[in-house]
Amino acid sequence: MTNSPTRPVALITGASRGIGRAIALRLAAAHDLVLVARDGEHLASVARDCEASGARVQTLALDVRDGQATVAALTGLHVDVLVNNAGVAVMKPFLEMTAEEWNRQVDVNVNALYHVTQALLPGMVQRGRGHVCIIGSTAGRNTFVGGTCYTGTKHFVMGFAESLMLEVRDAGVGVSVITPGSVATELFPEGTNTTWMLEPANIADAVAFAVTAPPHMLVHRLEVRPLSPKRPRSSF
């Protein structure tokens, strides 16, 4: 996919499961895809599902925490839409958090944004079009006990996204940040009641809305919430 394709190409990080998988399936009808995650086996499964919708799919088994490997794998790819979705969360009091847990969240939620975006954004700017979409969180504008690192990384996402938007909009590149509330994924511990939460497909719909807006229109910040934690989805 190094040459100009007939359909726009979307690259999605963290694409092997959860929200990333849902985004890939949602975009597959109109985009060719580059799917990135550490788990090559799960990526292959997602790729088959996306190909059934008509997408050409390239998979990259890649740890986006590794800056050198990321630059080597992504530099030169033709990508029209970048979805920075990869993320991790460790919810525990600060005094109980290990250095490894802290650094892992910062590496995935913050530093990987640099590695991936730095590799692909120059091509968008050169072509005069493109879209960078980042999956943030409502934790990027609030706080809670046990969220010292996670909410810090999501606050970073909000500042990064808005600053980047102002830098590249005159070059024809849009920057969006999708901020979900609670989503029923593996992020939550086993036994958590997720029946009231958003589904990954809801976030995929929000991404599709943002990245397929008319060229003169930018959906920069889109917050998506469950209607009520007191009402399961099945009650609607």
Side-chain angles (χ1 to χ4, degrees):
M1 294 188 187
T2 56
N3 296 323
S4 180
T6 57
R7 303 204 310 173
V9 175
L11 183 145
I12 305 161
T13 66
S16 61
R17 64 191 74 210
I19 293 173
R21 178 181 184 277
I23 294 169
L25 293 173
R26 179 65 175 80
L27 297 184
H31 295 75
D32 291 329
L33 301 172
V34 181
L35 306 180
V36 177
R38 290 181 299 166
D39 190 328
E41 184 176 345
H42 279 88
L43 273 183
S45 175
V46 178
R48 287 191 293 270
D49 292 338
C50 292
E51 287 168 345
S53 295
R56 292 191 310 157
V57 182
Q58 177 180 354
T59 60
L60 293 173
L62 177 67
D63 187 342
V64 292
R65 294 178 296 179
D66 186 332
Q68 288 187 332
T70 298
V71 170
L74 302 187
T75 299
L77 291 182
H78 180 111
V79 171
D80 302 286
V81 175
L82 165 60
V83 183
N84 279 307
N85 165 72
V88 296
V90 178
M91 310 296 191
K92 60 169 57 175
F94 174 77
L95 291 178
E96 298 177 13
M97 187 172 298
T98 67
E100 187 279 330
E101 291 168 334
W102 180 278
N103 290 330
R104 176 157 47 95
Q105 291 177 91
V106 172
D107 284 342
V108 177
N109 299 353
V110 174
N111 293 334
L113 285 179
Y114 175 83
H115 301 318
V116 176
T117 308
Q118 182 76 6
L120 297 174
L121 184 60
M124 295 182 185
V125 171
Q126 183 178 20
R127 291 187 295 273
R129 65 184 185 278
H131 204 116
V132 177
C133 185
I134 306 167
I135 306 303
S137 170
T138 53
R141 66 177 188 82
N142 59 35
T143 57
F144 51 84
V145 173
T148 51
C149 187
Y150 179 73
T151 64
T153 65
K154 294 304 180 181
H155 277 71
F156 172 89
V157 165
M158 302 301 278
F160 171 79
E162 188 162 357
S163 295
L164 187 65
M165 178 269 291
L166 295 173
E167 289 184 17
V168 300
R169 61 182 178 177
D170 290 341
V173 179
V175 178
S176 300
V177 57
I178 310 300
T179 59
S182 298
V183 185
T185 67
E186 296 174 353
L187 186 72
F188 291 92
E190 186 176 353
T192 300
N193 175 20
T194 62
T195 60
W196 58 273
M197 296 181 182
L198 295 165
E199 296 178 298
N202 304 140
I203 313 309
D205 286 341
V207 170
F209 175 72
V211 304
T212 60
H216 67 281
M217 168 185 164
L218 175 62
V219 180
H220 171 62
R221 188 176 297 180
L222 181 56
E223 184 170 303
V224 187
R225 289 176 171 266
L227 180 63
S228 170
K230 297 180 180 178
R231 299 186 65 181
R233 293 187 300 271
S234 60
S235 67
F236 294 96

